Amino acid sequence: MRKRIQGTEHEYTMYSKKLASKGFDPHTLALELLRESDLQLAGEFITNGSRCYYDVGHFELSTCEVSNPFDMLLWEKAGEKVIDWLRRVTEEKYLSSGERIWAFKNNTSPEGVSYGSHENYIVDRSVDFPEKFVKELVPHFSTRFIYTGAGDILDGKYVLSPMIYLTSAVVSGETMHNTGLINTRDEPHSDRSGWRRLHVICGDALMNEVAILLRHFTTTAILQLMEMDKLGDAPRLKSPVEDMWENVEKTNPEAWKVHLNGGKKVSPVDIQRYYLAKIENIVEDDREKRALKILEEVLDGIEGRKSKELARRVEWLDRYFAIQEAKESKSGPEVEMMACKQYSEVGAERGIFYKRQSKGLVERLLKDGDIAKAIKEPPSDTRAALRREICDRFNIESIDWSTVMVGDGDRRRIDLPDPYAHRWEDLHGTAG
Amino acid sequence: MEQQVEQAPRKKKKQDKKLEFEAGKVFSPGKAKEEDMDLDLDSARYKAQKGQGGDRRT
């Protein structure tokens, strides 16, 4: 598969009853500590090329630009660990023993609001937008949640994907209300004439490594197939939003239905099998073939209802089991909601997901040593590496994704319009 | 557009940072005693209806 610049943005929530009672916001305290740490690079950027900032009650972490789904998984997990470390050092500095700061990677907060976990993919500007995306990508976005859903309890019921549950349109420019499967925001952070940044806001915040990989592997592959004009025969859905609203509340795959134009009804698994067959034609190396095999096994597992085995890779299913287990071992009216929230706690010794991972109940794809390296270093093959090099060489006055102002006597602006440019020599290559 | 970087870059002076990232804190955190979250779960009940994003941040 071709390289494709991509990244994710997560709004992490930190919660501390003690700090709240004193009028302090743990997000801002954590950010202050980050700026004083050896992870700080310049401005809002940290040394691995990711960007951290305060965003209306949340700690937002936008990962660095990566070039493929496998790196995406690695740097997203690195970001999660940065948050966990900050939570711990903030706790140590500002709280007494036994007092806690909790940090969550999910989509609905203890204050009862929802917030985003967004994916971004650079796509060729020449692909018709939004027409081609509606025809060829919406069938994917409205059905992929069967293996990319995080699970949550909303409106008193268990749903497979909170963000799919809350999505209300096929196409929309909104990000807070009336959101769409296709978001029309157009901020490429790169050369506008060549690229579009597809901003995906209908995906869930995920803990499971396999689910994160599949989310990016499938979407990356489908975008390539769209650019190659290989999806002209994609299934035409009659009512994608209504169908996903129905399906997202059902944990039994046999109850899922997708209505096609012409009256036929199929399963979301059938739609995903269409994409699986297409993706098979473009996978090249061993790790891509392995990811394709995992996708096939997951779809087989859903159809075969091999739920225990599947829960190792499908987060909504594992969260569902974790909630059931909590109900069996504890009593009280809040047990289900407590387990649902605590599943997404990023603390490795406290979060239910991480407890289950340490028991071997959840499949792993990454090694901790690789994540530790990715916490400090950017990927070597994207603009993040070049931005880091500029910061290492110069004193920085201001910095953004695609522009750096350096001030070493003469104040100069360095433009970085190509998100794939990663070497110092590339700067001269892009000179006009 | 004139290319911006022509001079040989100067080495930036390293600044001492007070706080050092410790991988052990997140990869080998040890065991915590069993404890429930101290959250306000009454207000955690999400009130938006299907298809309504609620107070979603960007």
Side-chain angles (χ1 to χ4, degrees), chain A residues 17-33:
Chain A
K17 210 166 199 173
K18 189 73 180 178
L19 285 172
S21 71
K22 292 178 176 174
F24 291 104
D25 182 342
H27 305 97
T28 54
L29 296 177
L31 263 175
E32 283 171 15
L33 289 180

Side-chain angles (χ1 to χ4, degrees), chain A residues 282-295:
Chain A
I282 58 168
V283 294
E284 293 169 17
D285 59 33
D286 286 346
R287 63 179 185 171
E288 290 171 1
K289 288 174 185 167
R290 172 74 182 134
L292 185 79
K293 181 75 179 158
I294 291 173
L295 175 62

Side-chain angles (χ1 to χ4, degrees), chain A residues 318-384:
Chain A
D318 191 54
R319 188 186 304 260
Y320 182 77
F321 285 139
I323 293 170
Q324 302 310 312
E325 287 171 21
K327 275 168 68 181
E328 288 165 14
S329 62
K330 294 178 184 174
S331 59
E334 308 290 6
V335 169
E336 291 181 50
M337 181 65 90
M338 193 80 82
C340 184
K341 298 292 177 203
Q342 204 159 359
Y343 189 94
S344 300
E345 220 272 298
V346 300
E349 79 283 28
R350 298 205 304 235
I352 291 178
F353 168 80
Y354 279 109
K355 284 182 181 173
R356 294 172 74 79
Q357 183 175 273
S358 68
K359 287 178 186 167
L361 296 172
V362 178
E363 184 170 327
R364 286 209 71 181
L365 299 172
L366 298 175
K367 294 189 173 94
D368 284 345
D370 292 332
I371 300 174
K373 192 177 169 203
I375 287 170
K376 295 191 169 183
E377 300 296 329
S380 61
D381 62 346
T382 73
R383 181 173 60 189

Side-chain angles (χ1 to χ4, degrees), chain A residues 154-155 157 159 161-168 244-245 248-249, chain B residues 46 48-52:
Chain A
L154 298 181
D155 294 337
K157 59 197 167 230
V159 299
S161 161
M163 299 315 287
I164 284 295
Y165 182 87
L166 296 169
T167 296
S168 34
M244 71 190 194
W245 281 357
V248 79
E249 291 184 19
Chain B
Y46 191 73
Q49 296 300 301
K50 193 180 285 180
Q52 296 180 346

Side-chain angles (χ1 to χ4, degrees), chain B residues 17-52:
Chain B
K17 297 289 184 186
K18 295 171 195 164
L19 186 61
E20 287 187 14
F21 174 77
E22 293 173 67
K25 279 188 187 292
V26 289
F27 292 110
S28 312
K31 281 198 169 179
K33 66 173 187 177
E34 275 303 313
E35 56 183 329
D36 285 328
M37 293 187 295
D38 186 21
L39 293 180
D40 177 4
L41 288 173
D42 277 337
S43 65
R45 302 203 187 294
Y46 191 73
K47 295 172 184 69
Q49 296 300 301
K50 193 180 285 180
Q52 296 180 346

